[in-house]
Amino acid sequence: MPSPVPPLTPTIEIPRTYRVKSFGCQMNVYDGERMAELLAEQGIAAAPEGEEADLVVLNTCHIRERAAEKVFSDIGRLKRQDGSTPLIAVAGCVAQAEGDEIMKRSPAVKMVVGPQAYHRLPEMIRVAAEGKRITDTDMPAETKFDALPPRGQGGRRSGPTAFLTVQEGCDKFCTYCVVPYTRGAEVSRPHADLIDEAKRLVDAGAREITLLGQNVNAWYGKDAKGRKVGLAGLIRELAEIPDLARIRYTTSHPNDMTEALIVAHGEVAKLMPFLHLPVQAGNDRVLKAMNRSHTAESYLKILDRVRAVRPDIALSGDFIVGFPGETDAEFEDTLRLVDAVGYAQCFSFKYSPRAGTPAATMDDQVAPAVMDERLQRLQAAVNRDQYAFNKATVGRTCEVLVERKGKLPGQWLGKSPWLQSVHFVGEAAVGDVVTVELTEAGANSLSARLLSTVPA
Ligand code: 5AD
Ligand code: SF4
């Protein structure tokens, strides 16, 4: 019997199953979902829970410490017992910034794809299936969004909460940050596309949409009548979608906090009373060295204006401790700002030098032990405020969007308007907006008593 003719390049087969692992920010979560939809459209199925996938996409984050090292250890962990590996694609911001290095150091990686190029994954998979390795970190002028399958295609359902990227990239060039280099310049997606995507998400089951962007409040576009609109206009229009119950947005920059957006917080009932507005530090010399183009005072004034129109607004921020040259006294200004604001929640980080950013080569890098101590003090302050915020809401009646079942029988988990995690026991279903009374506060969540179910 003649031996079968070997296929031309039998190196790798087209994968049948995929898994996308997203790290870092919510925009990566959104990108991960869009990649999953794209792969599903190609006939590649999501690998069942607990089973190995033929194709693994590591959707990476480059914002803070040891990002590349983490990717290499994740790649190492994908090795199977027989020594083989799935088809590995590294996507996201580490791919963009360190793709060449990854290709050099990690032969198991067959594809490196940047955040603006992932719509080309299907072509890349075909190339990889021929046994070639391929990198695509272009930042093409045309948008990837045009090339992606529409949301909800093929009857895909959405969870009760969904992300919608409206804006990407950053022109602000804070001196510590890699985003302007990895995600590119600020680009706003067209108004009509966003309204369409939001409606599709709602049709697919979403009750809450969080509008995403690195500088989401820098979004602008033209409405159906050709009028220029900003984020506030977009929010007002989205609020008209009948089955959409809640709108949120993140992340904002203080300089793009327009009067129109502030006013919307007082007027649009579906816009939730929560504002994530990073300040990074409370000292003006440090803010200047960070190239933040706002001062502690101008930041606090914005918060005053928002509170004037929406007194119950929950505030959230990002902080970096130990920026190069930050003295003890300058750090104390950050603690003072935290005290002045009374945040509902915060994210705080130790400064970590990112290659290629101006701060990485600044003099007076702060010693790790000093950063540790500052981070601990800052986190103690923000934890205290978060608990105080939660306690202050006890006794209030509010709506909760039910997101999933809890661990206890009959228990449900969801979010309050102020983005607090709330659990209660009673008759409800995922996607319901129910009315509860908040009864007990913990540092990270609250218990509630179910009062009524608002029909969805
Ligand atoms: N070091 C530490 N934190 C950083 N962030 C961004 N770049 C760095 C860095 N080099 C933080 C900022 C930003 C958040 C998303 O990550 O606080 O708002
Ligand atoms: Fe980074 Fe600053 Fe742009 Fe935010 S505003 S993405 S911190 S450069």
Side-chain angles (χ1 to χ4, degrees), residues 170 172-174 176-177 179-180 214-215 253 292:
C170 182
K172 305 285 192 288
F173 289 94
C174 300
Y176 50 81
C177 186
V179 166
Q214 260 95 28
N215 280 290
H253 192 285
R292 285 293 295 179

Side-chain angles (χ1 to χ4, degrees), residues 63 169-180 186 214-215 251-254 278 280 290-292 318 320:
I63 200 107
C170 182
D171 299 338
K172 305 285 192 288
F173 289 94
C174 300
T175 52
Y176 50 81
C177 186
V178 284
V179 166
E186 282 178 12
Q214 260 95 28
N215 280 290
T251 288
S252 298
H253 192 285
Q280 314 297 356
M290 288 177 163
N291 192 32
R292 285 293 295 179
D318 286 349
I320 297 176

Side-chain angles (χ1 to χ4, degrees), residues 63-64 176-177 278 280 318-320 349-352 354:
I63 200 107
R64 283 178 298 272
Y176 50 81
C177 186
Q280 314 297 356
D318 286 349
F319 290 89
I320 297 176
F349 313 103
K350 287 186 273 188
Y351 168 71
S352 147
R354 309 279 78 198

Side-chain angles (χ1 to χ4, degrees), residues 103-221:
M103 277 297 196
K104 247 189 264 157
R105 265 181 63 183
S106 202
V109 175
K110 303 299 180 214
M111 293 167 274
V112 161
V113 56
Q116 306 307 346
Y118 65 76
H119 54 296
R120 295 203 282 247
L121 256 181
E123 283 157 57
M124 296 176 75
I125 292 170
R126 277 189 280 280
V127 174
E130 288 169 13
K132 293 180 209 144
R133 303 175 79 208
I134 176 167
T135 297
D136 190 343
T137 47
D138 278 1
M139 297 215 187
E142 91 273 8
T143 148
K144 67 187 172 221
F145 297 107
D146 293 338
L148 294 169
R151 309 306 307 267
Q153 175 120 318
R156 275 178 85 94
R157 300 296 296 161
S158 163
T161 62
F163 292 131
L164 171 51
T165 294
V166 304
Q167 180 280 341
E168 266 197 285
C170 182
D171 299 338
K172 305 285 192 288
F173 289 94
C174 300
T175 52
Y176 50 81
C177 186
V178 284
V179 166
Y181 312 96
T182 58
R183 290 269 172 173
E186 282 178 12
V187 177
S188 293
R189 290 182 64 195
H191 174 271
D193 293 6
L194 297 173
I195 301 288
D196 182 58
E197 191 169 326
K199 285 183 177 158
R200 285 172 178 276
L201 283 168
V202 173
D203 286 345
R207 307 290 325 271
E208 171 181 297
I209 291 182
T210 302
L211 308 175
L212 297 181
Q214 260 95 28
N215 280 290
V216 69
N217 54 344
W219 181 88
Y220 68 94

